[in-house]
Amino acid sequence: MRSEGLVTDRKEGQNVYYRVTDPALAVLLTAVLGPAPTGDQRPLAGCPCPQCSTIAPITLHLQMAPTA
């Protein structure tokens, strides 16, 4: 779809976000799938993306023992 100019993509880290650029495709997708979701969705269980991830980053503090 990207090579045909129907969507554009944007990469953020390991995530790739796609945007529909063809208005006719947007109309078709809306008719078939319903309106695009808004920002009030609940996170998907197990999804690693920053939008869905509810796991706080882990911070480790390591102290090395002196070597003899």
Side-chain angles (χ1 to χ4, degrees), residues 11-40:
K11 186 168 184 176
E12 287 184 16
Q14 294 182 340
N15 300 307
V16 179
Y17 299 92
Y18 294 92
R19 178 178 299 228
V20 174
T21 57
D22 186 321
L25 179 60
V27 170
L28 176 65
L29 291 173
T30 300
V32 173
L33 301 174
T38 60
D40 60 352

Side-chain angles (χ1 to χ4, degrees), residues 6-65:
L6 301 174
V7 297
T8 59
D9 64 323
R10 165 177 62 90
K11 186 168 184 176
E12 287 184 16
Q14 294 182 340
N15 300 307
V16 179
Y17 299 92
Y18 294 92
R19 178 178 299 228
V20 174
T21 57
D22 186 321
L25 179 60
V27 170
L28 176 65
L29 291 173
T30 300
V32 173
L33 301 174
T38 60
D40 60 352
Q41 287 78 10
R42 294 185 351 208
L44 298 174
C47 179
C49 85
Q51 300 288 329
C52 294
S53 180
T54 58
I55 300 172
I58 298 171
T59 304
L60 298 175
H61 298 281
L62 302 175
Q63 185 174 16
M64 301 298 288

